[in-house]
């Protein structure tokens, strides 16, 4: 567009200079060519005004109207010269249109001007306008306008309108030039390119008008001459102004970087001379006015009264303006002094250190706060190189950040933040955080001491990553270091190993000598572990009495040699941790079970730690105080057990468990005196799994473990499932017993229950009582086989609970009698009706004379206390005869019958007896019951005369 504008304007100027080839074409181009250019400018400005929605719209509408008036004036001029072939009369409609060109343009320029915000500003705007206009009027009057005025006074016919017309043109041009100059110094910042282009177009038009009204050219002017090229170019430039400037604005397409480039191009750095022109304007106006007066004096003519009046008003306006500026300068000086004092107080009273560094890095100013922050006086720091005060390890990073900041565009990154160590007056290194700004090619640094914050952050970071008791790395930090060992340059080293360590017997330490002693033991164990690992390896506490160690690989490719080496390290750790501990003046011993896993190719940190954990639990299950290496089958076994546990949970909900009963037989008569309820799991294939089979796999301990005495008591992984199966067993056993009683089979049912389960808060206190009432089971028809295997059971609570049950007619049998201290204590403290010998005593009673004597002694205790005795696991005829000879009253086992379903059980109850090996026998010991029924001799068992064994 700019090139096209230049080509068209130049072509018109060349044509006008050459006369257009003919007088007729010259008149057409001089009249209708200018009319077309004015019409183009009017349409362009009007269209732009409709496209925008801002305070500039009225100005562009006025420019459109002004251009339309110029178009009409040239069209009328062409009508006379080209169409009618006559000279243009003076005055005419063309003169009226031309006179209407300047006022809309002047008002439009006022709309675009920056409006003053104070009353003094409006006064100065008017004075500036008059200073420019008055000085131009003085000079123009001296040069040409005075002659036109004298011609009007001569009284010749038609001279007055022509003289008025001759005066109107330059006066309006002077007003327009004044507004152009005032707007140049007070133009608004919005759409500056379009405004500047419009000002240039109007200035070119005014210049052409001034040349036209001069006496030298007005008399010889003809249409189509070179002077028309100025008006033509002015109209085209006004038509181009809004659209060409609009094209230069950054749009949304180029992106932020393009926008920043254009923004910097639109805001060039102002030169000092540009800022000085507004201040010089009054003096330039006075100089022009003086030139007009001097022209009259040098010419020897009498000074015109208009020149004197205008000059005086210009001088008066200058004096008034200077007075206003003087008062304004005084107010600004006072305000500047107040602001300077304000900011000086802020800088000097700030707790932050404010420093100004030259582009060379030399400190030019340092605020007084440096004495309190850095321990160095501000005068001492001024002139010092900033680089000499920064820690050498931080200097490279600081220099890089400063260079990057200075190279970035200020509009995109006005500030940056740098943290480094700064040398104090005492020679210490302080952690300093600085906000950096640009300042005349250098830097302004607003710095503060953050040493305590950095120290606190380091402490918080340490606390978040270390165990508070032992100060070893915690699980989060240990996991991160394992991840680092498996990645980076060690990713291909598969000799890295993880050790999981558990202290065997630590819980007993807490329970016996207290948690404080347990904490001291953990601290000592952590110290031993830390001292035993190599430099570069990591020892950590994962929680409780669990520790871990990361043994970094040495790049060895011999897996067996590396496994042997790590096994030796683990065994040495085990020996060290198993040494006696001196706690609270006494010697305490614990052992260590250690699991080891190696970083196989492609393994993740979580999998590696899981493998070590599995190996550690295998070490504990294998006897404790040992080292176990991870093997893939360990994970397969865990998966198999998890699948089986899931199947057991599903079976419990789907009703796949069945209830069987094993008879309890009188060893004297063979009569069935009771039945023991046992759980069985019926698989999808119809196979019944015994407690020994499904409870061993699922490490389940309560729901039937011991019914029949065939399942070892192991840890319980899922207490909720244990309780659920226990409730099902009790409800089913009581329900089926009630049905048998209604059918005439008055045989008690025995259900095994642990002491922990009986005291469990999740089990309501009245649940057993409510169950008996709901099913209508008579008194003495339910026997609870109580298993007490933990010496920490609260016997006081258990005694109260059992006493309440016995008042309802529930019989209490002490299960597992002879298996440990808990059974003897329970016999001494609890109200027990019968004793049930542990299976381990029955199995070897025939082969082992020693075990024979122990069993006989326990049975003698039961008979002396007047209690019935039941031996579980009686599988051989020889065991029946031996136990009967010792005084055992009842037996349960395969020697009589295995577990029976309900149909077979009722057939056995109808028969009533089982054959007894060796035939019926006479009572061997006093206190026993030779009959088949379980006769219970009740009494107080809170304290027995038998001393505890």
């Amino acid at each position: 567009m700019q090139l096209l504008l230049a080509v068209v304007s130049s072509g018109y100027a060349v044509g006008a200079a050459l006369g257009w080839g003919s007088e007729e074409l010259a008149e057409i181009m001089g009249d209708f060519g200018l009319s077309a250019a004015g019409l183009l400018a009017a349409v362009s400005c009007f269209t732009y005004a409709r496209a925008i929605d801002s305070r500039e719209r009225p100005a562009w509408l006025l420019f459109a109207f002004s251009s339309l008036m110029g178009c009409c004036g040239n069209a009328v001029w062409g009508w006379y010269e080209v169409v009618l072939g006559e000279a243009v009369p003076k005055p005419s409609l063309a003169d009226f249109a031309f006179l209407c060109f300047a006022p809309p343009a002047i008002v439009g320029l006022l709309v675009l001007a920056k409006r003053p915000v104070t009353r003094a500003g409006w006064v100065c705007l008017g004075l500036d306008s008059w200073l420019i206009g008055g000085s131009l009027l003085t000079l123009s009057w001296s040069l040409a306008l005075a002659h036109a005025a004298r011609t009007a006074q001569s009284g010749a016919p038609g001279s007055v309108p022509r003289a008025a017309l001759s005066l109107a043109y330059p006066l309006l041009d002077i007003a327009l030039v004044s507004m152009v100059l005032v707007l140049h110094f007070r133009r608004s910042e919005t759409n500056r390119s379009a405004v500047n282009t419009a000002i240039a177009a109007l200035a070119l038009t005014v210049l052409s008008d001034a040349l036209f009204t001069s006496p030298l050219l007005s008399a010889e002017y003809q249409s189509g001459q070179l002077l028309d090229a100025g008006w033509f170019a002015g109209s085209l430039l006004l038509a181009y102004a809004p659209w060409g400037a609009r094209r230069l604005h950054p749009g949304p397409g180029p992106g932020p970087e393009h926008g920043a480039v254009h923004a910097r191009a639109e805001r060039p750095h102002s030169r000092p001379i540009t800022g000085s022109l507004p201040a010089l304007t009054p003096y330039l106006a006075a100089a022009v006015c003086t030139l007009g007066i001097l022209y009259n004096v040098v010419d020897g003519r009498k000074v015109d009264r208009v020149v004197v009046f205008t000059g005086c008003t210009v001088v008066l306006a200058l004096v008034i303006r200077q007075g206003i500026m003087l008062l304004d300068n005084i107010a600004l000086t006072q305000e500047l002094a107040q602001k300077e004092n304000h900011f000086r107080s802020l800088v000097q009273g700030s707790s932050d250190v404010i420093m100004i560094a030259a582009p060379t890095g030399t400190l030019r100013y340092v605020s007084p706060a440096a004495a309190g922050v850095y321990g160095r006086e501000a005068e001492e720091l001024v002139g010092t190189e900033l680089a000499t005060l920064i820690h050498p390890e931080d200097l490279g990073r600081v220099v890089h950040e400063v260079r990057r900041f200075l190279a970035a565009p200020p509009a995109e990154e006005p500030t940056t933040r740098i943290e480094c160590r700064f040398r104090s007056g005492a020679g210490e290194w302080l952690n300093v955080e600085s906000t950096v700004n640009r300042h005349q090619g250098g830097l302004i640094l607003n710095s503060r001491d953050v040493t305590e914050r950095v120290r606190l952050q380091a402490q918080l970071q340490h606390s978040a990553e270390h165990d508070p008791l032992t100060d070893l790395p915690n699980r989060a930090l240990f996991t991160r270091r394992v991840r680092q060992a498996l990645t980076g340059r060690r990713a291909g080293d598969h000799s890295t190993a993880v050790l999981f360590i558990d202290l065997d017997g630590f819980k007993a330490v807490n329970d016996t000598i207290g948690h404080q002693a347990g904490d001291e033991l953990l601290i000592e164990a952590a110290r031993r572990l830390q001292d035993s690992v190599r430099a570069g390896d990591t020892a950590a506490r994962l929680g409780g009495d669990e520790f871990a160690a990361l043994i970094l690989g040495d790049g060895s490719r011999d897996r067996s040699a590396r496994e042997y080496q790590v096994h030796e390290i683990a065994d040495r750790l085990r020996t060290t941790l198993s040494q006696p501990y001196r706690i609270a003046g006494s010697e305490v011993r614990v052992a260590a079970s250690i699991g080891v896993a190696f970083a196989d190719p492609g393994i993740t940190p979580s999998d590696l730690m899981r493998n070590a954990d599995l190996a550690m639990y295998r070490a504990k299950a294998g006897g404790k105080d040992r080292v176990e290496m991870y093997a893939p089958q360990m994970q397969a076994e865990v998966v198999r057990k998890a699948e089986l546990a899931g199947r057991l949970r599903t079976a419990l909900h789907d009703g796949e468990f069945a209830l069987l009963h094993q008879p309890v037989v009188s060893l004297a008569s063979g009569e069935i005196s009771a039945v023991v309820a046992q759980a069985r799991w019926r698989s999808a294939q119809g196979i019944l799994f015994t407690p020994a089979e499904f409870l061993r796999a699922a490490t389940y301990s309560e729901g039937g473990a011991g019914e029949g005495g065939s399942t070892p008591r192991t840890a319980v992984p899922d207490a909720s499932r244990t309780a659920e199966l226990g409730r099902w067993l009790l409800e089913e056993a009581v329900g089926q017993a009630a049905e048998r009683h209604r059918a005439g089979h008055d045989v008690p049912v025995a259900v095994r229950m642990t002491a922990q389960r009986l005291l469990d808060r999740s089990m309501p206190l009245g649940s057993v009582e409510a169950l008996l009432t709901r099913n209508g089971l008579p008194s003495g028809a339910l026997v609870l086989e109580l298993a007490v295997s933990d010496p920490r059971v609260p016997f006081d609570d258990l005694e109260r609970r059992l006493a309440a049950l016995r008042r309802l007619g529930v019989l209490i049998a002490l299960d597992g009698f002879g298996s440990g201290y808990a059974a003897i204590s329970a016999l001494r403290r609890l109200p027990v009706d019968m004793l049930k010998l542990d299976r381990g005593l029955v199995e070897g009673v025939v082969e082992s004379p020693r075990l024979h004597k122990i069993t006989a002694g326990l049975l003698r205790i039961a008979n002396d206390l007047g209690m019935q005795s039941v031996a579980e696991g009686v599988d051989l005829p020889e065991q029946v005869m031996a136990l009967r000879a010792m005084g055992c009253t009842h037996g349960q086992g395969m020697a009589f019958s295995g577990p029976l379903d309900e149909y077979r059980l009722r057939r056995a109850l109808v028969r009533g007896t089982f054959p007894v090996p060796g035939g019926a026998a006479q009572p061997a010991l006093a206190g026993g019951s030779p009959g088949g029924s379980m006769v219970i001799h009740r009494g107080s068992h809170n304290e027995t005369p038998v001393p505890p064994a």
Side-chain angles (χ1 to χ4, degrees):
M1 291 182 64
Q2 294 175 355
L3 181 61
L4 179 63
L5 177 66
V7 169
V8 173
S9 299
S10 301
Y12 190 95
V14 171
L18 298 178
W20 295 106
S22 65
E23 185 177 350
E24 292 79 5
L25 182 59
E27 289 180 351
I28 293 173
M29 294 301 297
D31 295 334
F32 291 112
L34 293 181
S35 179
L39 180 61
L40 178 63
V43 172
S44 174
C45 293
F46 179 76
T47 305
Y48 180 71
R50 291 191 60 186
I52 64 174
D53 185 13
S54 65
R55 61 179 295 267
E56 299 178 11
R57 172 183 287 182
W60 292 102
L61 289 175
L62 291 170
F63 290 156
F65 180 76
S66 178
S67 299
L68 183 63
M69 291 297 99
C71 169
C72 294
N74 284 296
V76 171
W77 197 289
W79 175 261
Y80 281 103
E81 284 190 341
V82 177
V83 178
L84 300 180
E86 300 177 359
V88 181
K90 293 185 179 182
S92 66
L93 291 176
D95 294 321
F96 174 77
F98 288 144
L99 290 176
C100 290
F101 172 83
I106 293 173
V107 177
L109 291 174
L110 285 174
V111 172
L112 291 177
K114 184 187 296 184
R115 299 177 182 178
V117 295
T118 61
R119 187 177 301 174
W122 284 104
V123 174
C124 287
L125 177 62
L127 292 175
D128 288 342
S129 301
W130 175 245
L131 283 172
I132 297 174
S135 60
L136 293 177
L137 178 62
T138 302
L139 184 59
S140 300
W141 190 272
S142 300
L143 294 176
L145 298 183
H147 175 71
R150 285 193 295 269
T151 301
Q153 294 175 356
S154 62
S159 60
V160 174
R162 286 194 296 272
L165 188 62
S166 299
L167 290 174
Y169 278 118
L171 289 177
L172 290 174
D173 287 340
I174 289 173
L176 187 57
V177 169
S178 301
M179 295 311 304
V180 167
L181 292 176
V182 170
L183 179 61
H184 176 71
F185 299 130
R186 292 179 176 270
R187 62 184 180 275
S188 176
E189 294 294 330
T190 58
N191 204 5
R192 178 183 290 186
S193 299
V195 174
N196 287 340
T197 308
I199 291 174
L202 295 176
L204 186 58
T205 302
V206 169
L207 178 62
S208 300
D209 287 346
L211 293 175
F212 173 74
T213 56
S214 65
L216 297 177
L217 296 180
S218 61
E220 300 179 357
Y221 172 76
Q222 293 181 359
S223 297
Q225 292 182 349
L226 188 60
L227 184 60
D228 291 346
W231 286 313
F232 184 80
S235 297
L236 290 185
L237 193 60
L238 186 60
Y240 163 79
W243 308 104
R246 191 179 188 183
R247 184 176 61 83
L248 293 176
H249 284 299
E257 296 183 359
H258 254 34
V261 172
H262 282 289
R264 292 194 296 271
E266 291 176 4
R267 294 191 295 272
H269 298 289
S270 61
R271 299 177 182 176
I273 187 64
T274 305
S276 302
L277 282 178
L280 295 176
T281 301
Y283 306 103
L284 294 175
V288 172
C289 184
T290 304
L291 287 176
I293 297 174
L294 289 177
Y295 178 79
N296 280 272
V297 174
V298 172
D299 196 22
R301 293 179 294 180
K302 181 180 179 182
V303 178
D304 195 293
R305 287 177 294 179
V306 175
V307 174
V308 174
F309 177 77
T310 306
C312 290
T313 55
V314 169
V315 172
L316 180 62
L318 179 62
V319 172
I320 295 174
R321 187 184 187 282
Q322 291 303 105
I324 293 175
M325 294 302 295
L326 179 61
L327 295 177
D328 194 23
N329 288 338
I330 293 174
L332 288 176
T333 302
Q334 293 176 350
E335 183 180 357
L336 181 62
Q338 291 177 357
K339 289 184 177 180
E340 184 178 356
N341 293 332
H342 175 68
F343 284 107
R344 182 181 292 109
S345 300
L346 287 177
V347 170
Q348 293 182 353
S350 174
S351 59
D352 294 348
V353 180
I354 300 175
M355 301 181 292
I356 299 178
T360 58
T362 305
L363 294 177
R364 297 302 185 196
Y365 172 80
V366 179
S367 65
V373 176
Y374 299 148
R376 306 178 68 174
E377 296 296 332
E379 294 77 7
E380 178 186 350
L381 292 174
V382 172
T384 306
E385 291 290 336
L386 185 60
T388 61
L389 303 175
I390 299 175
H391 196 284
E393 296 179 1
D394 301 338
L395 183 58
R397 175 173 53 83
V398 172
V399 170
H400 174 75
E401 175 62 20
V402 169
R403 288 177 178 174
R404 186 203 60 78
F405 170 67
L406 293 177
E412 296 180 3
E413 191 173 3
T415 63
T416 187
R417 182 165 296 184
I418 297 175
E419 188 169 330
C420 62
R421 285 168 289 180
F422 199 89
R423 187 188 300 274
S424 67
E428 300 176 350
W429 293 105
L430 304 176
N431 293 94
V432 176
E433 182 185 66
S434 301
T435 303
V436 184
N437 295 270
R438 299 173 181 85
H439 175 69
Q440 299 178 359
L443 300 172
I444 295 181
L445 297 96
N446 190 351
S447 305
R448 62 201 63 86
D449 182 10
V450 294
T451 304
E452 289 301 322
R453 189 194 71 187
V454 171
R455 190 173 300 159
L456 179 59
Q457 287 178 344
Q459 291 177 356
L460 292 176
Q461 182 71 17
H462 183 85
S463 299
E465 295 179 341
H466 289 77
D467 176 60
L469 179 63
T470 62
D471 203 39
L472 289 180
N474 58 13
R475 183 181 293 272
L477 180 57
F478 184 76
T479 303
R480 185 163 72 249
R481 291 189 178 177
V482 171
R483 183 178 297 107
Q484 293 171 356
L486 298 182
T487 57
R489 62 185 182 88
R490 292 185 175 272
D493 188 357
H494 307 309
S495 59
T496 297
V498 169
L499 280 62
F500 265 43
I501 307 164
D502 186 83
L503 299 182
D504 303 320
F506 174 74
K507 189 174 184 299
V509 175
N510 270 343
D511 295 338
T512 54
I513 60 177
H515 289 276
Q516 179 65 32
D519 291 344
E520 294 180 13
L521 189 148
L522 290 176
I523 294 173
E524 176 62 20
R527 186 191 61 78
R528 294 184 185 182
L529 180 61
Q530 184 67 48
D531 293 342
S532 300
V533 298
R534 306 170 306 176
D537 294 340
T538 301
R541 182 191 178 205
L542 305 183
D545 60 341
E546 290 188 358
F547 294 86
L550 172 64
I551 309 299
L552 297 178
D554 56 359
S556 174
R557 296 185 179 275
D558 189 348
R559 181 62 177 265
S560 59
R562 180 59 176 167
E563 288 183 356
Y564 179 77
Q565 181 183 5
V566 173
H567 192 281
E568 279 192 338
I569 295 174
D571 198 59
R572 186 167 62 251
L573 288 176
R574 182 192 61 79
T575 304
T576 302
L577 294 174
S578 300
Q579 295 295 324
Y581 295 83
R582 194 70 181 176
I583 305 297
S586 60
E587 190 176 273
V588 178
R589 289 182 178 271
V590 294
S593 296
I594 302 178
V596 182
F598 282 92
D600 294 327
I603 195 170
T604 63
S606 59
D607 289 343
L608 179 58
M609 295 173 65
R610 180 206 61 198
N611 294 345
D613 197 20
L614 289 175
M616 184 265 290
Y617 277 105
R618 175 58 65 89
K620 293 179 71 68
K624 302 181 180 180
D625 193 17
R626 58 196 301 269
V627 176
E628 188 75 33
M629 307 292 288
Y630 172 77
Q633 56 267 27
M634 295 181 183
Q635 177 62 22
E637 183 179 350
V638 170
V639 172
R640 184 182 61 81
K641 288 184 177 181
E643 293 176 351
L644 182 57
R647 289 168 57 194
L648 288 175
R649 286 191 293 269
T650 305
L652 188 61
H653 288 132
D654 294 345
E656 296 180 6
F657 278 93
L659 189 65
L660 302 182
H661 295 83
Q662 189 172 25
V664 177
V665 179
S666 170
L667 296 183
S669 62
E671 294 181 2
I672 301 175
S673 58
V675 292
V676 179
Q678 299 181 11
R680 293 292 186 272
W681 175 35
R682 189 184 304 276
S683 69
Q685 293 76 20
I687 303 174
L688 286 176
F689 289 95
T690 65
E693 293 168 335
F694 71 77
L695 296 180
R696 186 186 302 116
T699 60
Y700 180 77
S701 69
E702 178 175 315
E707 298 91 331
S710 57
T711 303
R713 294 155 180 83
T714 55
V716 183
D718 193 344
S720 62
R721 301 300 169 187
T722 299
E724 190 174 354
L725 186 54
R727 284 193 297 270
W728 175 86
L729 177 65
L730 181 61
E731 291 176 359
E732 285 291 316
V734 171
Q736 293 186 18
E739 292 180 2
R740 287 193 297 271
H741 274 270
R742 285 192 288 270
H745 303 293
D746 299 332
V747 178
V749 61
V751 180
R752 183 179 182 274
M753 183 176 294
T754 63
Q756 292 85 346
R757 172 66 186 146
L758 191 61
L759 295 177
D760 190 359
R761 293 183 179 180
S762 63
M763 182 177 180
L765 290 178
S767 59
V768 178
E769 295 84 340
L771 185 63
L772 295 175
T773 303
R774 184 170 65 250
N775 289 276
L777 196 64
S779 177
L782 176 63
V783 180
L784 287 183
E785 296 182 351
L786 186 66
V788 184
S789 59
D790 192 344
R792 295 172 300 172
V793 172
F795 281 104
D796 294 337
D797 297 339
L798 185 58
E799 181 180 358
R800 287 192 294 270
R801 180 74 177 123
L802 294 178
L805 291 174
R806 292 181 79 237
R807 284 194 295 269
L808 294 176
V810 178
L811 305 180
I812 307 299
L814 183 59
D815 186 47
F817 183 65
S819 61
Y821 168 79
I824 300 299
S825 298
L827 180 62
R828 184 173 63 89
R829 297 281 307 275
L830 301 178
V832 178
D833 298 312
M834 63 186 69
L835 299 180
K836 195 167 186 179
L837 292 179
D838 186 76
R839 182 183 182 88
L841 298 176
V842 178
E843 287 179 347
V845 70
V846 178
E847 295 84 359
S848 174
R850 184 181 185 87
L851 194 58
H852 186 281
K853 292 180 179 180
I854 295 175
T855 306
L858 294 176
L859 289 172
R860 188 177 297 108
I861 292 175
N863 289 327
D864 291 343
L865 295 176
M867 296 182 182
Q868 299 286 342
S869 55
V870 180
E872 64 175 322
V874 182
D875 299 332
L876 301 175
E878 296 83 358
Q879 294 173 347
V880 175
M881 291 184 289
L883 290 170
R884 186 173 58 183
M886 295 178 195
C888 183
T889 59
H890 295 81
Q892 169 191 345
M894 298 302 295
F896 304 104
S897 172
L900 305 174
D901 58 19
E902 187 66 19
Y903 173 74
R904 291 182 175 85
L905 176 62
R906 292 202 179 192
R907 289 184 58 186
L909 292 177
V910 170
R911 188 171 62 249
T913 61
F914 286 95
V916 180
Q922 297 299 321
L925 294 173
S929 179
S933 61
M934 301 180 76
V935 181
I936 306 303
H937 302 279
R938 298 187 180 274
S940 176
H941 295 282
N942 292 336
E943 191 70 42
T944 68
V946 181

